[in-house]
């Protein structure tokens, strides 16, 4: 399986790691904007050395309880980092945003993938940016608005709901003229799902992978609260739990793993892929 971005074709025969690069005020040193840029570049270099194929750069936190930021503030945070990472490294840059203005400027600065957690529901103009520039596009499932996405009433059948959401996002993408080869899907772990439904989605991921077999599946379990709830561990102690979910997702055919801990995920993936190879023929 292949994934086309505006700058390259990513080989997904084996699963790859998308390293998380958060550029929010709390994620880096508060010693001014140059220090923050310096920290971001250092973090990017480390993740690339550890084997990340994609870096996902985001300036607006979407964890439960986080506040919206303006497009201007978001651009102030991410554009210098996108520009500098593109200048220094040969890595695929993804921009984690739901705002078309941010996406547009980030693509001009060197981003080649747009990661839209709303699956074209918050700002439909994202589709035009992706179509015009032939970028990669991640369509993630969630319900509700930015403000309500973490407090949605439960649905009866989460697999059916995610499948319905994927079909809705895919038809918006198709109408905008985005090619199939540009698109990756994402189940949206930790977004408008009950604790048990996150577990169910991961356990039954292969159903969705089979239903949407034309598209690579991205999974972002890293350090999320459903893992903390199983283990009764704080966010800083969720690595082993995260790796278990990475292994289970890759075993079922997930192709892109969005994680904070790149080396650990790369090694986990290598073992699972070595086992998967013994399944074939
Ligand atoms: C994700 C994702 C993302 N997650 C994609 N982009 C976040 N494509 C940001 C918790 O329950 O899964 N896929 N961008 C981070 N969001 C969350 C959500 C972080 C929930 C933490 C939780 O702890």
């Amino acid at each position: 399986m292949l994934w086309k971005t505006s700058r390259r074709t990513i080989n997904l025969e084996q699963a790859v790691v998308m390293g998380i690069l958060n550029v929010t005020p709390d994620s880096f040193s508060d010693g001014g904007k140059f220090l923050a840029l310096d920290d971001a570049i250092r973090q990017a270099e480390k993740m690339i050395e550890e084997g990340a194929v994609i870096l996902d750069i985001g300036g607006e936190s979407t964890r439960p309880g986080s506040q919206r930021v303006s497009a201007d503030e978001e651009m102030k945070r991410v554009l210098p980092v996108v520009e500098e990472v593109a200048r220094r490294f040969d890595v695929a840059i993804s921009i984690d945003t739901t705002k078309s203005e941010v996406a547009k400027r980030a693509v001009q600065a060197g981003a080649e993938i747009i990661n839209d957690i709303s699956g074209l529901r918050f700002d439909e103009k994202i589709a035009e940016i992706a179509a015009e520039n032939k970028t990669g596009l991640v369509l993630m499932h969630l319900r509700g608005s930015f403000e309500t996405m973490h407090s949605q009433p439960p649905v009866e059948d989460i697999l059916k709901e995610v499948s319905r959401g994927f079909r809705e996002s895919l038809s918006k993408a198709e109408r905008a003229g985005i090619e199939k080869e540009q698109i990756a899907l994402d189940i949206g772990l930790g977004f408008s799902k009950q604790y048990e439904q996150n577990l169910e989605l991961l356990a039954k991921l292969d159903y969705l992978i089979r239903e949407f077999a034309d598209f690579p599946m991205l999974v972002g379990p890293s350090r999320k609260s459903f893992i903390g709830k199983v283990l009764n561990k704080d966010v800083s102690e969720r690595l082993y739990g995260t790796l278990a979910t990475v292994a289970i997702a890759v075993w079922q055919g997930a192709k892109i793993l969005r994680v904070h801990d790149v080396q650990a995920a790369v090694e986990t993936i290598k073992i699972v892929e070595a086992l998967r190879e013994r399944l074939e023929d």
Side-chain angles (χ1 to χ4, degrees), residues 62-64 96 115 117 138 140 186 190-191 218 220 224-225 258:
T62 52
R63 306 192 137 257
D96 185 350
N115 173 21
I117 61 157
V138 179
M140 199 194 80
D186 181 344
F191 288 91
L218 189 156
K224 283 183 179 170
S225 46
R258 182 183 182 277

Side-chain angles (χ1 to χ4, degrees), residues 19-158:
I20 300 169
L21 192 55
N22 288 323
V23 200
T24 49
D26 49 340
S27 55
F28 288 106
S29 61
D30 282 333
K33 63 175 181 179
F34 294 110
L35 257 184
L37 180 59
D38 224 56
D39 271 3
I41 297 304
R42 242 191 294 277
Q43 179 69 17
E45 185 168 32
K46 178 167 185 276
M47 290 195 289
I48 293 162
E49 282 169 1
E50 291 177 353
V53 170
I54 306 161
L55 295 185
D56 189 38
I57 300 176
E60 177 174 72
S61 176
T62 52
R63 306 192 137 257
S66 51
Q67 295 291 312
R68 267 230 115 152
V69 300
S70 68
D72 281 340
E73 175 62 25
E74 201 178 326
M75 289 191 286
K76 247 192 254 172
R77 293 177 184 180
V78 297
L79 293 181
V81 178
V82 170
E83 210 161 274
E84 194 62 11
V85 170
R87 196 177 70 80
R88 289 198 194 212
F89 310 111
D90 181 25
V91 69
I93 298 172
S94 161
I95 179 69
D96 185 350
T97 191
T98 58
K99 302 190 188 84
S100 56
E101 198 184 348
V102 178
K104 184 177 184 171
R105 295 283 301 277
V107 169
Q108 287 168 354
E112 61 193 86
I113 295 164
I114 302 171
N115 173 21
D116 178 5
I117 61 157
S118 83
L120 302 175
R121 290 178 57 254
F122 291 177
D123 182 350
E124 255 189 83
K125 289 204 194 89
I126 292 241
E128 296 168 27
I129 314 295
E132 273 171 31
N133 296 281
K134 298 195 179 300
T135 66
L137 178 63
V138 179
L139 298 173
M140 199 194 80
H141 172 272
L142 58 69
R143 292 184 298 135
S145 64
F146 189 95
E147 288 74 23
T148 66
M149 65 188 176
H150 290 299
S151 56
Q152 288 291 302
V155 290
E156 178 148 5
D157 187 335
I158 193 61

Side-chain angles (χ1 to χ4, degrees), residues 223 227-228 231-242:
R223 302 177 184 173
I227 294 169
L231 300 176
N232 191 25
K233 294 274 193 187
D234 285 344
V235 62
S236 63
E237 296 181 301
R238 296 176 187 169
L239 174 58
Y240 304 150
T242 297

